[in-house]
Amino acid sequence: MRAASLPAEVLGARERESDEELLSRARAGDPEAFRVIFDREAPGVRRFLGDLLRDDAAADEGTQETFVRVHQRLGTLSESGKLQGWLFGIARMVFLEQIRRKRRDAVPPEPPEESLATDAGPSPEAALLSAESDQMLDGALAGLSEERRSALLMRIDHGLGYGEIASAMGWSLQKVKNEIHRARLQLRTHLAGYLEEGAR
Amino acid sequence: MTHVPIEDMESIAAGERPGQSPVEIAAHIAQCAECARELAWLRAEKALMARRPSPPTDHLWPAIAARLRHPRRRPRWDVRVSLAAGAAAAAAAVLVAVFRPGRPPVPAQPPQREQQAARPVRPRAAIDPKTLAALDRAEEDYRKAAKVLEGEYERLRPQLDPDLARRWDETLTRARAQLGESRAVAADDVNVRMRVLDGYAGYLRSLRYVVQESEEANP
């Protein structure tokens, strides 16, 4: 059944259902429960894959593949509270497989030299005043290595906890913190550079 | 007070109360330019992320639902290849465990005559009949698996884009050449024979990749 065709009160009830309840029903073979999981999580997964792949068709395909795998592996998720981290871990594996497949066709550009400059430049709020801020952010994210971009986005765009990111990336907690910190510094350097350019 | 931990800063940027000592933290931020700037960046990050539109995903569901109703069947060639290659790989693993061959000789620059004379001659690892039979069987299994995949590729190749087919041909030619090199020197030395098995495993990986890609190019 399509979510859009459901009455508002049913949609409200669906929204309130916890991950644990949904997972339990989905594991028992209830297709509607899995559809609700899809409705809740697919936009985040699609955006995550879009940011990593930078190709709409590939991100759509990756999202579909992710949810097929999620369905196949529902029984392997031990802690229901960690659904999102687990899901993003699968999405990232799908992304890595797609990249491996495409590597023959195109060599991805090397990320620019890392700069750890921490401060100076215009106020960050100024970035938000620009109508081009989305493109600016897009460019800044593209400058990050795949691993850093994944970890940073899981944190700042999808709100995953550091522990969940560690599971999804297969890293230690300390590495997650270090990488996200460095990613942030790179991002800020890029954004500050853009603002300086705009001010000239 | 030292600088505010990042988790607390993130909570404040998200409009939540920090985990510990909210009053102290607020007082610190009020007088620490570095923390104040960090908080401003975190808020800017959050605002930038919040501005981004949520991509539509409803249109992705029908294909997922269809795949869940009718899961893709594993292609018949994959089953046959897995059986043959699995047997070969298992045999090779047993050989490694039982025989523990030494490091294979490195075919580098030809050594100087004097060095050659000075170097002690390492005795060749002779093969007992059982090991030899196991090696032959493993190689035969790999050959069978390769044959299945080569046949599958031949079947798919005419429908492929000519450029793509040419690229796959080159990939397979390179893989065959590598295998041929190892087979050319294979004799009764276990180390060399093990390298041939490695060569077959590599060739199979290339073949499997090419066949899978060809299938995806011609669903």
Side-chain angles (χ1 to χ4, degrees), chain A residues 34 60-73 94 97-98 101, chain B residues 60-73 216:
Chain A
F34 188 69
D60 279 353
E61 191 192 317
T63 304
Q64 288 170 327
E65 181 61 31
T66 298
F67 278 91
V68 169
R69 290 190 195 183
V70 164
H71 188 268
Q72 288 164 347
R73 299 176 195 174
V94 168
E97 284 171 24
Q98 288 201 355
R101 278 211 317 256
Chain B
L60 303 178
W61 177 253
I64 295 172
R67 280 182 64 185
L68 298 184
R69 277 195 303 272
H70 307 288
R72 275 181 194 162
R73 223 188 277 166
E216 281 185 22

Side-chain angles (χ1 to χ4, degrees), chain A residues 35 38 47 51 60 64-65 71 101 104-105 119 121-122 124 128 133 155-157 162 177 184 188, chain B residues 7 10 37-38 41 45 47 49 51-53 57-61 63-64 67 167 171 209 213:
Chain A
R35 175 66 206 259
F38 172 83
R47 187 151 95 178
D51 285 330
D60 279 353
Q64 288 170 327
E65 181 61 31
H71 188 268
R101 278 211 317 256
R104 284 176 172 275
D105 300 331
D119 208 337
L128 299 176
S133 60
R155 180 71 194 142
I156 71 174
D157 195 22
Y162 287 99
K177 289 185 178 180
R184 276 185 161 133
R188 290 169 192 180
Chain B
E7 288 92 334
E10 287 172 334
R37 190 161 182 82
E38 176 67 25
W41 269 116
E45 250 173 31
M49 289 295 160
R51 276 174 58 117
R52 306 168 80 210
T57 51
D58 260 8
H59 66 290
L60 303 178
W61 177 253
I64 295 172
R67 280 182 64 185
R167 209 163 57 229
T171 302
Y209 176 81
E213 290 294 301

Side-chain angles (χ1 to χ4, degrees), chain B residues 165-189:
Chain B
R166 203 166 30 249
R167 209 163 57 229
W168 293 153
D169 289 348
E170 285 168 8
T171 302
L172 294 180
T173 304
R174 270 197 306 275
R176 273 191 212 109
Q178 281 169 359
L179 174 62
E181 280 169 24
S182 58
R183 289 183 70 196
V185 291
D188 57 349
D189 185 306

Side-chain angles (χ1 to χ4, degrees), chain B residues 8-78:
Chain B
D8 286 332
M9 292 287 245
E10 287 172 334
S11 298
I12 298 168
E16 297 158 8
R17 277 168 69 89
Q20 290 175 358
S21 326
V23 179
E24 260 183 63
I25 288 174
H28 174 86
I29 293 171
Q31 50 181 275
C32 173
E34 208 176 313
C35 284
R37 190 161 182 82
E38 176 67 25
L39 184 59
W41 269 116
L42 292 175
R43 285 184 170 140
E45 250 173 31
K46 200 151 187 60
L48 274 172
M49 289 295 160
R51 276 174 58 117
R52 306 168 80 210
S54 218
T57 51
D58 260 8
H59 66 290
L60 303 178
W61 177 253
I64 295 172
R67 280 182 64 185
L68 298 184
R69 277 195 303 272
H70 307 288
R72 275 181 194 162
R73 223 188 277 166
R74 211 171 157 200
R76 197 181 295 167
W77 64 260
D78 195 34

